């Protein structure tokens, strides 16, 4: 060791143990509070020279604290894991034409990466390869044939070369500020391949972030249209996002050019429009989309769930039929820097056995604490408090806690109830008539 430098083993053992415990506690608190795995991002390119083509996009990620690692798609050292641990927390795939990845990476490994709760951004192009196509199929997305473009004869840009494939698109997803932010995004420049959503999506996990105009379609720009295109009009998807059930996010962008410096700096003006050219919204779109995709917003958590009998302070696992029950829970949203209260008017609580016996919309106190007060049903058995909250652009909340609802004990019933008064009267009348009959029978003598 350097002369004069204090050695750890010369410190009092108690102080060393306390320091170690504090470090462990700080690490565990950070892991519990942050929804991020980290900011190590793997960027896969077709050629290392492409770093210059997309340098503005990469600089924007670095400015937000992401550590980028670049690799060629055919590199023999390409891998997401080492010794069973993931090396990266996000994956950006800007190699649309690759048919097979190098190293140990394949479509199955990318799916496992998403299943671990991590996020992926995939860019496609008309030169689409089997790797990107297979990954899209895993998410229920079908890309059109290779060498096809999204064509729009009414909304092409003034700088288009005559094939009407450089289009000005503004068909953004509505009602999802969580995905695209609250600001208004200018029309974006898009030149690439279209895709369609082919799988049923009852849970709303697939989000059509950007769609074509009513006059758009997907086809080879130089060939006559003899058969129905794969997609027509607003069914032509340009960008689709997937909100996985485990909070991981997957984004498919049909144009790798959308990430390029050229498209980020170009102005957009429809050729058939007389209005002035405006700066394209590509930069803002990518900024907002990557914030959502990399879990910087739209992440929810539920905590401090508590249920008690009205008037009691301590929680219980057993309730009696017709008890008054109060349930409270705190829901928070990650805003990129801290957990803040999540305020919504559509969070529902179910109190169910096989089917819900009680379903209530829970009001909040403007601090993220939601409350529901209700009377236990007049049915005994094993019930669950259940919250299943799924909304567009947000990670899902799934909460369930089991309790028992018991019947009245023998000494808990009311002694006299109004509904039984006729039976009481008939019982006393019967006894009275029997007494009268006995008196008459014993003391009556026939003459």
């Amino acid at each position: 060791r350097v002369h004069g430098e204090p050695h750890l083993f010369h410190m009092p053992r108690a102080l060393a143990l306390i320091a170690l415990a504090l470090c462990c506690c700080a690490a565990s608190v950070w892991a519990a509070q942050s929804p991020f795995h980290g900011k190590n991002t793997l960027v896969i390119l077709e050629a290392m020279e492409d770093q210059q083509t997309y340098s503005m996009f990469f600089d924007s990620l670095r400015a937000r604290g992401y550590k980028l690692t670049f690799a060629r798609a055919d590199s023999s050292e390409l891998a997401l894991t080492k010794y069973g641990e993931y090396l990266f927390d996000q994956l950006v795939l800007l190699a649309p034409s690759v048919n097979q990845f190098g190293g140990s990476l394949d479509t199955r490994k990318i799916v496992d990466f998403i299943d671990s709760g991590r996020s992926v951004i995939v860019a496609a192009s008309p030169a689409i390869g089997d790797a990107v196509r297979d990954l899209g199929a895993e998410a229920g997305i079908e890309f059109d044939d290779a060498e096809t473009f999204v064509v729009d004869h009414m909304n092409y840009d003034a700088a288009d070369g005559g094939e009407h494939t450089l289009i000005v698109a503004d068909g953004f997803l509505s009602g999802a500020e969580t995905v695209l932010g609250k600001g208004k995004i200018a029309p974006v420049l898009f030149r690439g391949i279209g895709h369609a959503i082919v799988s049923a999506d009852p849970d709303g996990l697939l989000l059509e972030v950007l769609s074509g105009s009513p006059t758009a379609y997907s086809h080879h720009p130089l060939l006559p249209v003899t058969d129905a295109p794969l997609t027509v009009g607003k069914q032509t998807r340009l960008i689709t996002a997937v909100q996985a059930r485990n909070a991981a996010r997957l984004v498919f962008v049909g144009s790798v050019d959308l990430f390029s410096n050229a498209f980020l700096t170009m102005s957009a003006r429809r050729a058939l429009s007389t209005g002035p050219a405006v700066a394209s919204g590509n930069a803002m779109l990518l900024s907002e989309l990557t914030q959502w995709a990399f879990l910087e917003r739209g992440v929810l958590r539920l905590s401090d769930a508590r249920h008690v009998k009205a008037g009691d302070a301590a929680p219980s696992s057993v309730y009696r039929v017709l008890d008054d029950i109060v349930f409270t829970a705190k829901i928070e949203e990650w805003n990129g820097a801290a957990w803040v209260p999540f305020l919504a008017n559509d969070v529902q609580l179910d109190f169910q056995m096989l089917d819900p016996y009680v379903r209530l919309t829970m009001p909040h106190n403007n601090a993220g604490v939601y409350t529901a007060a209700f009377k236990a049903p007049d049915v005994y058995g094993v019930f669950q408090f259940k919250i299943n909250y799924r909304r567009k652009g947000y990670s899902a909340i799934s909460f369930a806690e089991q309790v028992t609802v018991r019947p009245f004990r023998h000494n808990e019933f009311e002694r006299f109830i109004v509904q039984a008064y006729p039976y009481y009267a008939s019982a006393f009348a019967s006894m009275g008539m029997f007494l009268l009959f006995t008196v008459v029978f014993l003391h009556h003598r026939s003459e």
Side-chain angles (χ1 to χ4, degrees):
R1 62 188 174 92
V2 180
H3 179 69
E5 181 181 338
H7 198 282
L8 176 63
F9 294 106
H10 291 172
M11 297 173 60
R13 179 173 297 181
L15 292 178
L17 293 175
I18 291 174
L20 180 61
L22 290 176
C23 291
C24 294
C25 290
S28 64
V29 168
W30 170 251
Q33 290 182 346
S34 173
F36 296 102
H37 295 282
K39 291 197 171 184
N40 292 323
T41 305
L42 175 62
V43 181
I44 298 179
L45 304 170
E46 293 186 348
M48 298 305 289
E49 292 77 11
D50 290 342
Q51 294 182 55
Q52 300 301 320
T53 305
Y54 311 112
S55 61
M56 294 180 63
F57 170 63
F58 298 145
D59 289 342
S60 69
L61 293 180
R62 291 191 185 97
R64 297 198 334 244
Y66 290 93
K67 181 181 177 181
L68 306 183
T69 301
F70 298 93
R72 285 175 55 97
D74 58 357
S75 172
S76 60
E77 299 179 356
L78 200 58
L80 295 175
T81 60
K82 186 175 183 179
Y83 305 126
E85 298 292 333
Y86 280 104
L87 301 172
F88 305 99
D89 309 295
Q90 297 86 25
L91 172 63
V92 179
L93 182 55
L94 301 181
S97 65
V98 63
N99 288 312
Q100 185 175 359
F101 295 109
S104 63
L105 187 63
D106 56 19
T107 302
R108 183 68 257 170
K109 295 291 180 58
I110 297 177
V111 173
D112 292 340
F113 185 79
I114 298 168
D115 288 341
S116 70
R118 291 164 170 81
S119 300
V120 178
I121 294 179
V122 182
S125 77
I128 186 170
D130 292 339
V132 173
R133 189 179 296 279
D134 292 344
L135 190 57
E138 292 285 345
I141 291 173
E142 181 182 355
F143 286 95
D144 206 350
D145 296 336
E147 306 304 327
T148 61
F149 287 78
V150 176
V151 181
D152 194 331
H153 299 300
M154 303 297 294
N155 294 283
Y156 60 94
D157 189 77
D160 181 79
E163 296 180 348
H164 300 174
T165 56
L166 178 60
I167 65 175
V168 180
D170 56 3
F172 299 110
L173 176 68
S174 61
E177 294 180 350
T178 308
V179 179
L180 294 177
K182 298 181 179 180
K184 181 177 177 57
I185 301 177
V188 301
L189 292 172
F190 181 96
R191 181 173 58 204
I193 192 171
H195 59 269
I197 297 175
V198 296
S199 66
D201 183 30
D203 294 329
L205 301 178
L206 294 170
L207 308 176
E208 302 92 350
V209 176
L210 182 63
S211 301
S213 71
T215 56
Y217 64 94
S218 181
H219 200 266
H220 194 291
L222 301 179
L223 297 179
V225 180
T226 57
D227 298 321
L230 175 67
T231 62
V232 176
K234 294 183 177 180
Q235 298 302 315
T236 304
R237 309 302 180 195
L238 311 182
I239 301 177
T240 297
V242 182
Q243 170 66 72
R245 291 183 176 87
N246 64 349
R249 286 157 183 179
L250 173 62
V251 178
F252 290 94
V253 181
S255 170
V256 71
D257 292 336
L258 190 144
F259 296 83
S260 67
N261 296 348
F263 276 48
L264 294 179
T265 56
M266 283 177 62
S267 297
R269 184 177 72 84
R270 291 181 173 87
L272 302 182
S273 172
T274 58
V278 297
S280 72
N282 291 47
M284 184 175 180
L285 172 64
L286 289 178
S287 175
E288 299 291 349
L289 191 57
T290 53
Q291 287 180 48
W292 177 83
F294 292 164
L295 304 179
E296 294 183 35
R297 63 165 176 254
V299 180
L300 302 180
R301 74 172 181 182
L302 184 145
S303 61
D304 299 334
R306 189 169 182 268
H307 51 86
V308 297
K309 181 181 176 180
D312 291 353
S316 175
S317 60
V318 179
Y319 295 96
R320 191 193 66 188
V321 296
L322 303 181
D323 269 352
D324 291 317
I325 302 174
V326 178
F327 177 90
T328 59
K330 186 176 184 179
I331 302 179
E332 297 172 297
E333 177 183 3
W334 181 258
N335 67 357
W339 291 104
V340 297
F342 175 71
L343 306 180
N345 298 318
D346 55 357
V347 180
Q348 291 185 328
L349 170 71
D350 286 354
F351 191 64
Q352 68 176 53
M353 190 156 34
L354 294 177
D355 295 315
Y357 280 77
V358 177
R359 174 172 288 167
L360 295 172
T361 299
M362 297 193 294
H364 58 78
N365 64 350
N366 293 321
V369 178
Y370 292 77
T371 305
F374 62 95
K375 189 180 289 293
D378 193 7
V379 178
Y380 59 88
V382 178
F383 283 78
Q384 279 189 331
F385 294 97
K386 202 162 191 177
I387 297 176
N388 190 14
Y389 187 76
R390 300 181 185 276
R391 292 299 179 269
K392 187 183 296 184
Y394 288 102
S395 60
I397 293 178
S398 182
F399 170 84
E401 185 171 340
Q402 184 172 293
V403 294
T404 301
V405 177
R406 64 171 178 82
F408 284 96
R409 295 192 180 98
H410 69 281
N411 60 349
E412 292 179 328
F413 290 97
E414 296 182 27
R415 289 304 180 186
F416 299 98
I417 57 178
V418 175
Q419 294 85 345
Y421 280 1
Y423 301 96
Y424 302 154
S426 63
F428 285 110
S430 298
M431 289 188 290
M433 293 303 295
F434 180 76
L435 180 62
L436 179 61
F437 170 77
T438 302
V439 172
V440 172
F441 182 79
L442 293 177
H443 299 283
H444 180 267
R445 295 180 178 180
S446 59
E447 297 294 338

